[in-house]
Amino acid sequence: MDAIVKNFPASSQEQGQKSARPSQQEAEEAVRVLLRWAGDDPAREGLLDTPSRVAKAYGELFAGYDQSPEDVLGRTFEEMSGFDDIVLVREIPFFSHCEHHMLPIKGMATVAYLPNGPVLGLSKIARVVEIFGRRLQTQENLTAQIANAIQNTLKPRGVAVLIEAEHMCMEMRGVQKQGSRTLTTTFTGEFKTNATEQARFFTLARNR
């Protein structure tokens, strides 16, 4: 998977959708509808506070829609601009939700880049994974969006992203194959064109 997603930053259509976001009350009513549809009674004692709890939880789980990767990546360390070798952060844990069934995705992301001047704080890489993870996703898009954000903002010589994740939509429903894992990669710049750099990335990503 080495295609780069072209929809970063958010389009005007996406920004319009954000401005039309339903109210808290509308979100809670939607939860009550789903509870009734599932066959339960939202008026029973155990479910009285469930709509507000779900709305609050969704605010946390999908907080990435209100955060900008560009803002996170904007601060770099110029005094370290002489460093030009690979920078790799391995096995960043993340949670996301699949856009098809809104069921959880749990995985690890390994992200590397080849500096071309400024160097990122290591926590910034983890923050980018978190921002894109806390949106409705496919794993393929998530992988490409992380690479695209770093490439477009930092302008390094190359970016490599490896994600390995479990999808509850495969484990809880449908084929119900527990323990299956999906692996995706995206490469830009020298990681895409230079086989030696790509092999070095895999060696470092898998070396424990």
Side-chain angles (χ1 to χ4, degrees):
M1 171 66 192
D2 57 10
I4 298 299
V5 174
K6 302 297 185 181
N7 60 351
F8 177 81
S11 66
S12 58
Q13 180 182 5
E14 290 172 330
Q15 292 170 350
Q17 289 172 345
K18 288 183 180 180
S19 64
R21 180 177 292 178
S23 67
Q24 174 84 11
Q25 291 76 15
E26 289 174 308
E28 293 181 13
E29 183 55 34
V31 175
R32 293 186 186 94
V33 170
L34 285 174
L35 288 171
R36 291 196 298 270
W37 180 85
D40 215 321
D41 178 10
R44 72 175 175 85
E45 183 179 4
L47 294 178
L48 283 177
D49 294 328
T50 296
S52 63
R53 291 191 183 110
V54 171
K56 181 179 179 180
Y58 269 37
E60 298 174 8
L61 295 173
F62 301 116
Y65 287 113
D66 294 321
Q67 299 171 349
S68 168
E70 288 181 314
D71 292 342
V72 170
L73 294 169
R75 182 178 179 185
T76 58
F77 295 101
E78 300 291 340
E79 66 271 18
M80 297 178 62
S81 60
F83 184 83
D84 62 358
D85 203 358
I86 188 171
V87 177
L88 184 145
V89 182
R90 189 170 59 193
E91 296 180 348
I92 303 166
F94 72 89
F95 291 96
S96 190
H97 284 76
C98 80
E99 64 183 35
H100 301 135
H101 304 97
M102 295 184 71
L103 290 174
I105 301 169
K106 179 182 179 182
M108 297 278 190
T110 295
V111 181
Y113 70 96
L114 290 165
N116 187 27
V119 175
L120 284 172
L122 299 180
S123 66
K124 307 299 183 185
I125 296 175
R127 286 290 298 138
V128 170
V129 173
E130 181 83 356
I131 287 171
F132 284 117
R134 290 186 178 270
R135 301 179 182 185
L136 291 172
Q137 286 288 8
T138 65
Q139 185 172 327
E140 296 89 341
N141 277 344
L142 175 60
T143 310
Q145 286 169 349
I146 294 167
N148 196 29
I150 296 172
Q151 181 65 50
N152 288 350
T153 306
L154 188 64
K155 307 252 186 284
R157 303 194 323 271
V159 179
V161 179
L162 166 68
I163 289 181
E164 189 170 357
E166 297 179 61
H167 295 247
M168 294 302 104
C169 59
M170 288 183 60
E171 298 193 10
M172 297 173 62
R173 56 161 301 283
V175 294
Q176 298 185 31
K177 298 300 181 184
Q178 289 76 29
S180 61
R181 300 180 70 84
T182 300
L183 188 147
T184 51
T185 59
T186 292
F187 302 104
T188 72
E190 292 183 24
F191 282 117
K192 187 172 183 178
T193 60
N194 188 325
T196 300
E197 291 292 3
Q198 193 173 123
R200 193 157 70 109
F201 167 74
F202 280 119
T203 299
L204 291 172
R206 295 303 192 186
N207 185 28
R208 297 176 186 274

